[in-house]
mmCIF file of all heavy atoms in Angstrom:
data_model
loop_
_atom_site.group_PDB
_atom_site.id
_atom_site.type_symbol
_atom_site.label_atom_id
_atom_site.label_comp_id
_atom_site.label_asym_id
_atom_site.label_seq_id
_atom_site.Cartn_x
_atom_site.Cartn_y
_atom_site.Cartn_z
ATOM 1 N N THR A 1 0.303 56.722 -43.547
ATOM 2 C CA THR A 1 -0.021 56.127 -42.245
ATOM 3 C C THR A 1 -0.384 54.676 -42.422
ATOM 4 O O THR A 1 -0.742 54.232 -43.524
ATOM 5 C CB THR A 1 -1.186 56.870 -41.570
ATOM 6 O OG1 THR A 1 -2.339 56.798 -42.421
ATOM 7 C CG2 THR A 1 -0.870 58.332 -41.262
ATOM 8 N N VAL A 2 -0.328 53.949 -41.306
ATOM 9 C CA VAL A 2 -0.850 52.605 -41.235
ATOM 10 C C VAL A 2 -1.543 52.412 -39.907
ATOM 11 O O VAL A 2 -1.075 52.897 -38.865
ATOM 12 C CB VAL A 2 0.287 51.543 -41.447
ATOM 13 C CG1 VAL A 2 1.263 51.558 -40.288
ATOM 14 C CG2 VAL A 2 -0.311 50.166 -41.613
ATOM 15 N N GLU A 3 -2.738 51.741 -39.962
ATOM 16 C CA GLU A 3 -3.493 51.515 -38.733
ATOM 17 C C GLU A 3 -3.399 50.043 -38.402
ATOM 18 O O GLU A 3 -3.607 49.191 -39.252
ATOM 19 C CB GLU A 3 -4.966 51.911 -38.982
ATOM 20 C CG GLU A 3 -5.129 53.404 -39.306
ATOM 21 C CD GLU A 3 -6.578 53.755 -39.604
ATOM 22 O OE1 GLU A 3 -7.441 52.884 -39.353
ATOM 23 O OE2 GLU A 3 -6.831 54.911 -39.989
ATOM 24 N N ILE A 4 -3.097 49.776 -37.149
ATOM 25 C CA ILE A 4 -2.926 48.363 -36.671
ATOM 26 C C ILE A 4 -3.726 48.191 -35.387
ATOM 27 O O ILE A 4 -3.628 49.015 -34.493
ATOM 28 C CB ILE A 4 -1.447 48.071 -36.446
ATOM 29 C CG1 ILE A 4 -0.617 48.325 -37.708
ATOM 30 C CG2 ILE A 4 -1.259 46.640 -35.953
ATOM 31 C CD1 ILE A 4 0.868 48.244 -37.478
ATOM 32 N N ASP A 5 -4.514 47.093 -35.334
ATOM 33 C CA ASP A 5 -5.254 46.810 -34.093
ATOM 34 C C ASP A 5 -4.819 45.483 -33.471
ATOM 35 O O ASP A 5 -5.387 45.041 -32.478
ATOM 36 C CB ASP A 5 -6.754 46.846 -34.334
ATOM 37 C CG ASP A 5 -7.202 45.888 -35.414
ATOM 38 O OD1 ASP A 5 -6.370 45.049 -35.834
ATOM 39 O OD2 ASP A 5 -8.350 45.993 -35.846
ATOM 40 N N ASP A 6 -3.792 44.823 -34.047
ATOM 41 C CA ASP A 6 -3.325 43.560 -33.492
ATOM 42 C C ASP A 6 -2.427 43.858 -32.264
ATOM 43 O O ASP A 6 -1.379 44.501 -32.383
ATOM 44 C CB ASP A 6 -2.490 42.822 -34.552
ATOM 45 C CG ASP A 6 -2.049 41.441 -34.079
ATOM 46 O OD1 ASP A 6 -1.193 41.391 -33.183
ATOM 47 O OD2 ASP A 6 -2.574 40.447 -34.606
ATOM 48 N N PRO A 7 -2.861 43.383 -31.044
ATOM 49 C CA PRO A 7 -2.096 43.711 -29.851
ATOM 50 C C PRO A 7 -0.658 43.245 -29.887
ATOM 51 O O PRO A 7 0.266 43.916 -29.385
ATOM 52 C CB PRO A 7 -2.874 43.022 -28.729
ATOM 53 C CG PRO A 7 -4.239 42.817 -29.289
ATOM 54 C CD PRO A 7 -4.075 42.612 -30.760
ATOM 55 N N LEU A 8 -0.432 42.049 -30.458
ATOM 56 C CA LEU A 8 0.927 41.503 -30.507
ATOM 57 C C LEU A 8 1.837 42.370 -31.368
ATOM 58 O O LEU A 8 2.975 42.649 -30.997
ATOM 59 C CB LEU A 8 0.906 40.064 -31.048
ATOM 60 C CG LEU A 8 2.244 39.303 -30.971
ATOM 61 C CD1 LEU A 8 2.743 39.209 -29.547
ATOM 62 C CD2 LEU A 8 2.084 37.923 -31.580
ATOM 63 N N MET A 9 1.306 42.803 -32.517
ATOM 64 C CA MET A 9 2.104 43.677 -33.399
ATOM 65 C C MET A 9 2.342 45.028 -32.722
ATOM 66 O O MET A 9 3.464 45.555 -32.784
ATOM 67 C CB MET A 9 1.364 43.891 -34.738
ATOM 68 C CG MET A 9 1.988 44.923 -35.647
ATOM 69 S SD MET A 9 3.701 44.500 -36.126
ATOM 70 C CE MET A 9 3.354 43.354 -37.477
ATOM 71 N N ILE A 10 1.310 45.577 -32.086
ATOM 72 C CA ILE A 10 1.500 46.865 -31.397
ATOM 73 C C ILE A 10 2.537 46.748 -30.294
ATOM 74 O O ILE A 10 3.427 47.610 -30.194
ATOM 75 C CB ILE A 10 0.154 47.363 -30.808
ATOM 76 C CG1 ILE A 10 -0.846 47.665 -31.957
ATOM 77 C CG2 ILE A 10 0.342 48.566 -29.931
ATOM 78 C CD1 ILE A 10 -2.249 47.961 -31.477
ATOM 79 N N GLU A 11 2.446 45.634 -29.528
ATOM 80 C CA GLU A 11 3.441 45.453 -28.486
ATOM 81 C C GLU A 11 4.836 45.277 -29.055
ATOM 82 O O GLU A 11 5.829 45.807 -28.526
ATOM 83 C CB GLU A 11 3.065 44.231 -27.635
ATOM 84 C CG GLU A 11 4.119 43.786 -26.615
ATOM 85 C CD GLU A 11 4.424 44.875 -25.569
ATOM 86 O OE1 GLU A 11 3.578 45.750 -25.350
ATOM 87 O OE2 GLU A 11 5.547 44.867 -25.005
ATOM 88 N N GLY A 12 4.923 44.566 -30.165
ATOM 89 C CA GLY A 12 6.220 44.362 -30.826
ATOM 90 C C GLY A 12 6.819 45.684 -31.259
ATOM 91 O O GLY A 12 8.019 45.935 -31.058
ATOM 92 N N ILE A 13 6.013 46.519 -31.901
ATOM 93 C CA ILE A 13 6.517 47.814 -32.364
ATOM 94 C C ILE A 13 6.906 48.685 -31.173
ATOM 95 O O ILE A 13 7.941 49.368 -31.188
ATOM 96 C CB ILE A 13 5.491 48.524 -33.254
ATOM 97 C CG1 ILE A 13 5.279 47.735 -34.555
ATOM 98 C CG2 ILE A 13 5.928 49.944 -33.575
ATOM 99 C CD1 ILE A 13 4.192 48.280 -35.426
ATOM 100 N N GLU A 14 6.064 48.657 -30.107
ATOM 101 C CA GLU A 14 6.391 49.473 -28.929
ATOM 102 C C GLU A 14 7.701 49.020 -28.294
ATOM 103 O O GLU A 14 8.504 49.808 -27.834
ATOM 104 C CB GLU A 14 5.253 49.355 -27.915
ATOM 105 C CG GLU A 14 3.918 49.955 -28.359
ATOM 106 C CD GLU A 14 4.000 51.462 -28.578
ATOM 107 O OE1 GLU A 14 4.812 52.107 -27.892
ATOM 108 O OE2 GLU A 14 3.266 51.938 -29.432
ATOM 109 N N ARG A 15 7.904 47.670 -28.306
ATOM 110 C CA ARG A 15 9.134 47.161 -27.724
ATOM 111 C C ARG A 15 10.333 47.608 -28.556
ATOM 112 O O ARG A 15 11.395 47.958 -28.011
ATOM 113 C CB ARG A 15 9.082 45.623 -27.643
ATOM 114 C CG ARG A 15 10.149 45.038 -26.727
ATOM 115 C CD ARG A 15 10.035 43.549 -26.640
ATOM 116 N NE ARG A 15 8.756 43.103 -26.141
ATOM 117 C CZ ARG A 15 8.417 41.823 -25.965
ATOM 118 N NH1 ARG A 15 9.274 40.879 -26.322
ATOM 119 N NH2 ARG A 15 7.233 41.491 -25.537
ATOM 120 N N VAL A 16 10.144 47.604 -29.855
ATOM 121 C CA VAL A 16 11.201 48.102 -30.739
ATOM 122 C C VAL A 16 11.525 49.568 -30.448
ATOM 123 O O VAL A 16 12.664 50.017 -30.392
ATOM 124 C CB VAL A 16 10.837 47.924 -32.224
ATOM 125 C CG1 VAL A 16 11.801 48.678 -33.084
ATOM 126 C CG2 VAL A 16 10.832 46.454 -32.590
ATOM 127 N N GLN A 17 10.403 50.385 -30.243
ATOM 128 C CA GLN A 17 10.599 51.789 -29.952
ATOM 129 C C GLN A 17 11.400 51.993 -28.642
ATOM 130 O O GLN A 17 12.269 52.857 -28.578
ATOM 131 C CB GLN A 17 9.243 52.506 -29.851
ATOM 132 C CG GLN A 17 8.386 52.473 -31.122
ATOM 133 C CD GLN A 17 9.037 53.237 -32.257
ATOM 134 O OE1 GLN A 17 9.898 54.088 -32.015
ATOM 135 N NE2 GLN A 17 8.666 52.957 -33.461
ATOM 136 N N ARG A 18 11.094 51.192 -27.621
ATOM 137 C CA ARG A 18 11.812 51.306 -26.355
ATOM 138 C C ARG A 18 13.280 50.915 -26.529
ATOM 139 O O ARG A 18 14.183 51.554 -25.969
ATOM 140 C CB ARG A 18 11.165 50.443 -25.269
ATOM 141 C CG ARG A 18 9.799 50.999 -24.804
ATOM 142 C CD ARG A 18 9.377 50.295 -23.511
ATOM 143 N NE ARG A 18 9.146 48.875 -23.721
ATOM 144 C CZ ARG A 18 7.955 48.351 -24.089
ATOM 145 N NH1 ARG A 18 6.902 49.191 -24.277
ATOM 146 N NH2 ARG A 18 7.814 47.049 -24.197
ATOM 147 N N ALA A 19 13.497 49.836 -27.315
ATOM 148 C CA ALA A 19 14.867 49.400 -27.562
ATOM 149 C C ALA A 19 15.668 50.459 -28.275
ATOM 150 O O ALA A 19 16.855 50.701 -27.979
ATOM 151 C CB ALA A 19 14.855 48.079 -28.321
ATOM 152 N N ILE A 20 15.026 51.105 -29.265
ATOM 153 C CA ILE A 20 15.715 52.176 -30.019
ATOM 154 C C ILE A 20 16.034 53.344 -29.081
ATOM 155 O O ILE A 20 17.104 53.935 -29.148
ATOM 156 C CB ILE A 20 14.831 52.626 -31.211
ATOM 157 C CG1 ILE A 20 14.780 51.524 -32.257
ATOM 158 C CG2 ILE A 20 15.386 53.922 -31.829
ATOM 159 C CD1 ILE A 20 13.816 51.790 -33.377
ATOM 160 N N ALA A 21 15.074 53.694 -28.197
ATOM 161 C CA ALA A 21 15.304 54.807 -27.275
ATOM 162 C C ALA A 21 16.495 54.519 -26.377
ATOM 163 O O ALA A 21 17.372 55.391 -26.123
ATOM 164 C CB ALA A 21 14.058 55.072 -26.450
ATOM 165 N N ILE A 22 16.556 53.258 -25.867
ATOM 166 C CA ILE A 22 17.727 52.896 -24.994
ATOM 167 C C ILE A 22 19.006 52.904 -25.819
ATOM 168 O O ILE A 22 20.053 53.397 -25.360
ATOM 169 C CB ILE A 22 17.473 51.496 -24.387
ATOM 170 C CG1 ILE A 22 16.290 51.574 -23.409
ATOM 171 C CG2 ILE A 22 18.741 50.991 -23.690
ATOM 172 C CD1 ILE A 22 15.847 50.211 -22.884
ATOM 173 N N HIS A 23 18.918 52.375 -27.064
ATOM 174 C CA HIS A 23 20.110 52.325 -27.904
ATOM 175 C C HIS A 23 20.631 53.721 -28.188
ATOM 176 O O HIS A 23 21.860 53.949 -28.240
ATOM 177 C CB HIS A 23 19.726 51.641 -29.206
ATOM 178 C CG HIS A 23 20.877 51.445 -30.152
ATOM 179 N ND1 HIS A 23 21.892 50.537 -29.897
ATOM 180 C CD2 HIS A 23 21.175 52.030 -31.327
ATOM 181 C CE1 HIS A 23 22.767 50.581 -30.886
ATOM 182 N NE2 HIS A 23 22.365 51.481 -31.784
ATOM 183 N N ARG A 24 19.739 54.680 -28.315
ATOM 184 C CA ARG A 24 20.154 56.059 -28.534
ATOM 185 C C ARG A 24 20.694 56.713 -27.279
ATOM 186 O O ARG A 24 21.606 57.537 -27.326
ATOM 187 C CB ARG A 24 19.001 56.900 -29.123
ATOM 188 C CG ARG A 24 18.708 56.563 -30.571
ATOM 189 C CD ARG A 24 17.454 57.309 -31.009
ATOM 190 N NE ARG A 24 17.259 57.185 -32.467
ATOM 191 C CZ ARG A 24 16.150 57.580 -33.086
ATOM 192 N NH1 ARG A 24 15.159 58.119 -32.400
ATOM 193 N NH2 ARG A 24 16.027 57.411 -34.395
ATOM 194 N N ALA A 25 20.110 56.356 -26.150
ATOM 195 C CA ALA A 25 20.498 56.973 -24.864
ATOM 196 C C ALA A 25 21.885 56.578 -24.445
ATOM 197 O O ALA A 25 22.634 57.389 -23.911
ATOM 198 C CB ALA A 25 19.470 56.668 -23.782
ATOM 199 N N VAL A 26 22.211 55.280 -24.702
ATOM 200 C CA VAL A 26 23.515 54.794 -24.231
ATOM 201 C C VAL A 26 24.667 55.546 -24.869
ATOM 202 O O VAL A 26 25.559 56.029 -24.190
ATOM 203 C CB VAL A 26 23.655 53.263 -24.474
ATOM 204 C CG1 VAL A 26 25.072 52.782 -24.267
ATOM 205 C CG2 VAL A 26 22.698 52.516 -23.555
ATOM 206 N N PRO A 27 24.678 55.711 -26.240
ATOM 207 C CA PRO A 27 25.759 56.566 -26.802
ATOM 208 C C PRO A 27 25.745 57.974 -26.235
ATOM 209 O O PRO A 27 26.813 58.577 -26.085
ATOM 210 C CB PRO A 27 25.464 56.539 -28.323
ATOM 211 C CG PRO A 27 24.689 55.261 -28.524
ATOM 212 C CD PRO A 27 23.872 55.102 -27.266
ATOM 213 N N GLY A 28 24.548 58.505 -25.980
ATOM 214 C CA GLY A 28 24.479 59.854 -25.420
ATOM 215 C C GLY A 28 25.156 59.916 -24.056
ATOM 216 O O GLY A 28 25.894 60.826 -23.764
ATOM 217 N N ARG A 29 24.866 58.916 -23.218
ATOM 218 C CA ARG A 29 25.508 58.863 -21.926
ATOM 219 C C ARG A 29 27.015 58.640 -22.077
ATOM 220 O O ARG A 29 27.808 59.220 -21.324
ATOM 221 C CB ARG A 29 24.896 57.742 -21.058
ATOM 222 C CG ARG A 29 23.470 58.037 -20.611
ATOM 223 C CD ARG A 29 23.111 57.126 -19.433
ATOM 224 N NE ARG A 29 23.107 55.727 -19.840
ATOM 225 C CZ ARG A 29 22.047 55.103 -20.290
ATOM 226 N NH1 ARG A 29 20.901 55.732 -20.472
ATOM 227 N NH2 ARG A 29 22.150 53.806 -20.623
ATOM 228 N N LEU A 30 27.364 57.795 -23.044
ATOM 229 C CA LEU A 30 28.759 57.558 -23.286
ATOM 230 C C LEU A 30 29.479 58.845 -23.708
ATOM 231 O O LEU A 30 30.572 59.116 -23.233
ATOM 232 C CB LEU A 30 28.931 56.493 -24.370
ATOM 233 C CG LEU A 30 30.379 56.047 -24.708
ATOM 234 C CD1 LEU A 30 31.055 55.507 -23.452
ATOM 235 C CD2 LEU A 30 30.391 55.048 -25.831
ATOM 236 N N ARG A 31 28.802 59.592 -24.574
ATOM 237 C CA ARG A 31 29.391 60.868 -24.958
ATOM 238 C C ARG A 31 29.563 61.788 -23.757
ATOM 239 O O ARG A 31 30.543 62.514 -23.637
ATOM 240 C CB ARG A 31 28.518 61.542 -26.020
ATOM 241 C CG ARG A 31 28.739 60.975 -27.428
ATOM 242 C CD ARG A 31 28.099 61.891 -28.473
ATOM 243 N NE ARG A 31 26.674 62.061 -28.302
ATOM 244 C CZ ARG A 31 25.769 61.231 -28.831
ATOM 245 N NH1 ARG A 31 26.165 60.193 -29.573
ATOM 246 N NH2 ARG A 31 24.468 61.420 -28.638
ATOM 247 N N GLY A 32 28.541 61.746 -22.873
ATOM 248 C CA GLY A 32 28.655 62.551 -21.654
ATOM 249 C C GLY A 32 29.808 62.145 -20.788
ATOM 250 O O GLY A 32 30.553 62.984 -20.274
ATOM 251 N N VAL A 33 29.991 60.791 -20.642
ATOM 252 C CA VAL A 33 31.106 60.306 -19.836
ATOM 253 C C VAL A 33 32.429 60.699 -20.477
ATOM 254 O O VAL A 33 33.355 61.148 -19.810
ATOM 255 C CB VAL A 33 31.022 58.770 -19.694
ATOM 256 C CG1 VAL A 33 32.305 58.211 -19.041
ATOM 257 C CG2 VAL A 33 29.817 58.390 -18.851
ATOM 258 N N VAL A 34 32.507 60.522 -21.825
ATOM 259 C CA VAL A 34 33.737 60.901 -22.528
ATOM 260 C C VAL A 34 34.008 62.386 -22.389
ATOM 261 O O VAL A 34 35.150 62.802 -22.188
ATOM 262 C CB VAL A 34 33.611 60.522 -24.032
ATOM 263 C CG1 VAL A 34 34.794 61.119 -24.815
ATOM 264 C CG2 VAL A 34 33.569 58.996 -24.199
ATOM 265 N N THR A 35 32.928 63.183 -22.439
ATOM 266 C CA THR A 35 33.099 64.633 -22.267
ATOM 267 C C THR A 35 33.635 64.985 -20.914
ATOM 268 O O THR A 35 34.555 65.791 -20.750
ATOM 269 C CB THR A 35 31.773 65.363 -22.521
ATOM 270 O OG1 THR A 35 31.326 65.088 -23.857
ATOM 271 C CG2 THR A 35 31.935 66.862 -22.358
ATOM 272 N N VAL A 36 33.056 64.320 -19.897
ATOM 273 C CA VAL A 36 33.512 64.573 -18.508
ATOM 274 C C VAL A 36 34.951 64.144 -18.318
ATOM 275 O O VAL A 36 35.775 64.854 -17.741
ATOM 276 C CB VAL A 36 32.614 63.862 -17.491
ATOM 277 C CG1 VAL A 36 33.218 63.919 -16.094
ATOM 278 C CG2 VAL A 36 31.202 64.478 -17.476
ATOM 279 N N LEU A 37 35.273 62.928 -18.874
ATOM 280 C CA LEU A 37 36.666 62.473 -18.763
ATOM 281 C C LEU A 37 37.637 63.379 -19.479
ATOM 282 O O LEU A 37 38.737 63.644 -19.044
ATOM 283 C CB LEU A 37 36.765 61.046 -19.312
ATOM 284 C CG LEU A 37 36.076 59.933 -18.492
ATOM 285 C CD1 LEU A 37 36.202 58.621 -19.193
ATOM 286 C CD2 LEU A 37 36.677 59.866 -17.091
ATOM 287 N N GLY A 38 37.157 63.867 -20.673
ATOM 288 C CA GLY A 38 38.012 64.812 -21.426
ATOM 289 C C GLY A 38 38.246 66.075 -20.629
ATOM 290 O O GLY A 38 39.344 66.645 -20.604
#
């Protein structure tokens, strides 16, 4: 584990987590669209 209390670092990591979630969701939606089109 690592403990961090720096707000800027926490916000940066959280922003990365949101970006990763979106990045993962888009291919998932794309797969869904491809599946529907198929």
Side-chain angles (χ1 to χ4, degrees):
T1 59
V2 66
E3 299 178 8
I4 303 171
D5 57 11
D6 184 291
L8 188 59
M9 173 60 82
I10 294 171
E11 172 60 24
I13 294 174
E14 295 295 331
R15 196 179 300 180
V16 169
Q17 298 294 340
R18 289 194 295 271
I20 290 173
I22 293 172
H23 184 70
R24 285 174 173 171
V26 169
R29 289 198 297 270
L30 182 60
R31 281 194 299 271
V33 171
V34 171
T35 300
V36 171
L37 290 177

